[in-house]
Amino acid sequence: MASPLNNTTTSDQEMADLERHDCVERVQWVLNTPKPPGLSQELIGTAVSWRNKVPFLNMQSGLKHELFSMLKATFPILSWCQNYKPNQFKRDLLAGLTLASLCIPQSIGYATLAKLDPQYGLYTSVVPPLIYTLMGTSREIAIGPVAVISLLLSSMVQKLEDPMANPIAYHKLVLTVTFFAGTFQAAFGLFRSGFLIDFLSHAAIVGFMAGAAIVIGLQQLKGLLGITHFTNKTDVISVLKVVWSSFQHPWNPYNFLLGCSFLIFILITRFLGRKNKKLFWLPAIAPLVSVVLATLIVFLTKADKHGVNIVKHIKGGLNPSSVDQLQFNGPHVGELAKIGLIVAIIALTEAIAVGRSFAAIKGYHLDGNKEMVAMGFMNIIGSFTTCYVATGSFSRTAVNFSAGCETAMSNIVMAVTVFISLELLTKLLYYTPVAILASIILSALPGLIDVNEACNIWKVDKLDFLACIGAFLGVLFATVEIGLLVAVTISFAKIIVVSIRPGTETLGKLPETDAFGDVNQYPMAVKTPGVLIMRLKSALLCFANANFVRERIMKWVIEEEKDSKLRNAEKTIQIVILDISNLMDIDTSGIASLEELHKNFDSNGMKLAIANPRWQVIHKLKLANFVPKIGGRVFLSIGEAMASFSV
């Protein structure tokens, strides 16, 4: 009669055999995966997805339904206007009027910052908002000229044409840049290439915006101090030299007193608006009130006869056509296209960041690709109607949101109000002092400098902070382009460093779980004698990092061997299990490094096993005949690999 002990032993043996059989079967799951899609199939898949997204390419339903679906996809206004209610229009009307009171003086000021005639800013606040309302998906974003884009245009285009010596030629180049910027933006959206704007990281944008804010502020000293001869350079040293030299000559303090008085007034209203949310309208109308009061003061006191600089003539009326002014055959076409690309990326980055911020508050999704297409077409059409590059403004969007806007209809109200102003009120702005426009721009700059965010970037990621401070110093002490170039270069350098020097970590089994974790992160993790488990912390094993990874793994193995000998351990390393669950792809150099690892381990009496390979990786390893070389030791998980060896 068999003893219970023998029965228990037999039962355990059967369970172990069954588990081993299941493990072998699961290994076949890994090795017998179907062929992954190749490059051509991925491109075909993209075309199919576009076929499904563009309704008229999919003719399964009725033609009318498909046509209307296509129109709704192209013009989102057709979706939300069907259920538009009178109560919503009341809120949008209030928000649009409040927005216009802020937009009119800001647009005139930003046009002067771009070294354009004041009416260009007003033109840019009419047509682009109307086009965006038809095609955009954001409910809150306010479209128009912004300070950073105005600075970019003036700083780069003036190198090709002097706006003071030849203003007509300069205007034509700016309009051409606007066309190129719109074309690039629309192309990014149509080809779903929004990832391109991510090359400017969040940290780089924070630094760039802060540097641009200071540069813009320095540029406003010309209007605030009434300086007649000012430098075309934007760096802080050149500007301060001009300001200092102006003090060496007799100067008129009236511009400074007028500008500073209303700057203080605007800042006080902003403080009151933040303290009491019900007074949101106060800082919104403060710039317009400042313009009206300052214009009256100059007109009644004849201050323009005593040295106060005024705007003088502003051309009114509907946006004139500018199709014939676009320059596609001149010597500067290549440079204009390059400037257009830079401006397009900066404008998209600012607009999408603003739109997503407020969409998150309202709890709806913002389609980035549709936003790019909308921004692109509004700037293309804007270039045909005497507008320069428009984008989403954070300060005006915040006012729009605070005023209770419900839909993009507030942009239409704003655009109509600005158009009425162009038709009826431009003559009243003749005596508007330039110092007031400078003070309005200066009042908007603190919102571009985010010191708290820079401190957070420093705490979280030092390399990101390096990109941030690089962009800031580049814009401040060199040029806008150099600041952007420094930021992008540092961001790319970070990507290269991370990809070339990927981390590796030693894993141990976490007590009372089936999970394995980094022994440095989890000190309680237990190592199995004779087994070294390592994980790659890289998505790509390629020519750039293959040798580094191989040397890093060999170094760990040698160090573990030394530690085992010092501890007089019974078993030195016999098995190295490489967890490649993070590895998304591998090239021939990566495979060669794994083969070399296998040879080194084999010559030292150790075995190499691969755990949890991804689809593309295992397919390439099979094509390279790597799996047979390591004896088929490829497993579904680390646990499966551990169970397959009797160490």
Side-chain angles (χ1 to χ4, degrees), residues 199-201 204-205 467-468 470-471 482-492:
F199 284 126
L200 278 175
S201 65
I205 289 296
C468 176
I482 290 178
L484 287 172
L485 182 63
V486 169
V488 172
T489 302
I490 293 173
S491 298
F492 269 110

Side-chain angles (χ1 to χ4, degrees), residues 27-41:
V27 167
Q28 295 306 311
W29 296 353
V30 181
L31 296 177
N32 295 329
T33 55
K35 183 179 178 181
L39 179 61
S40 59
Q41 288 175 285

Side-chain angles (χ1 to χ4, degrees), residues 117-320:
D117 295 332
Q119 65 267 17
Y120 279 78
L122 296 174
Y123 293 155
T124 307
S125 296
V126 174
V127 174
L130 295 176
I131 303 300
Y132 179 83
T133 303
L134 296 175
M135 303 183 69
T137 58
S138 173
R139 304 170 195 166
E140 297 82 22
I141 196 168
I143 298 297
V146 297
V148 173
I149 300 302
S150 301
L151 172 68
L152 272 172
L153 289 170
S154 64
S155 64
M156 291 191 284
V157 178
Q158 72 179 1
K159 295 178 181 178
L160 306 178
E161 195 71 61
D162 189 343
M164 302 300 294
N166 197 347
I168 296 176
Y170 176 80
H171 294 170
K172 290 180 179 179
L173 295 186
V174 170
L175 293 173
T176 308
V177 167
T178 302
F179 175 83
F180 280 123
T183 303
F184 283 121
Q185 290 172 334
F188 292 159
L190 290 172
F191 293 102
R192 311 184 73 78
S193 304
F195 64 91
L196 292 173
I197 68 173
D198 293 329
F199 284 126
L200 278 175
S201 65
H202 171 68
I205 289 296
V206 170
F208 171 76
M209 289 293 188
I214 295 175
V215 168
I216 292 168
L218 292 172
Q219 291 286 320
Q220 299 317 300
L221 293 177
K222 176 184 179 181
L224 200 63
L225 299 175
I227 301 173
T228 53
H229 300 289
F230 206 74
T231 179
N232 286 332
K233 297 180 180 179
T234 59
D235 64 283
V236 61
I237 296 174
S238 299
V239 173
L240 290 179
K241 280 182 179 178
V242 173
V243 173
W244 177 253
S245 63
S246 68
F247 284 117
Q248 309 301 315
H249 306 285
W251 65 290
N252 193 315
Y254 295 133
N255 290 284
F256 181 75
L257 292 174
L258 196 62
C260 285
S261 299
F262 282 99
L263 175 59
I264 294 170
F265 167 70
I266 294 171
L267 294 177
I268 290 173
T269 58
R270 181 170 298 170
F271 174 77
L272 294 175
R274 288 176 179 173
K275 295 290 285 186
N276 189 345
K277 297 298 182 182
K278 293 182 180 179
L279 298 176
F280 69 88
W281 52 270
L282 190 59
I285 67 169
L288 185 59
V289 171
S290 300
V291 168
V292 172
L293 292 178
T295 303
L296 283 174
I297 290 171
V298 173
F299 176 73
L300 295 175
T301 62
K302 306 294 182 182
D304 57 309
K305 305 294 184 182
H306 301 282
V308 173
N309 297 328
I310 58 174
V311 173
K312 296 183 180 179
H313 179 67
I314 297 179
K315 185 179 179 181
L318 183 66
N319 293 41

Side-chain angles (χ1 to χ4, degrees), residues 528-531 571-572 574-575 641-642 644-647:
T528 303
V531 178
K571 294 183 178 181
T572 57
Q574 296 182 357
I575 305 155
M642 296 283 288
S644 297
F645 295 106
S646 299
V647 182

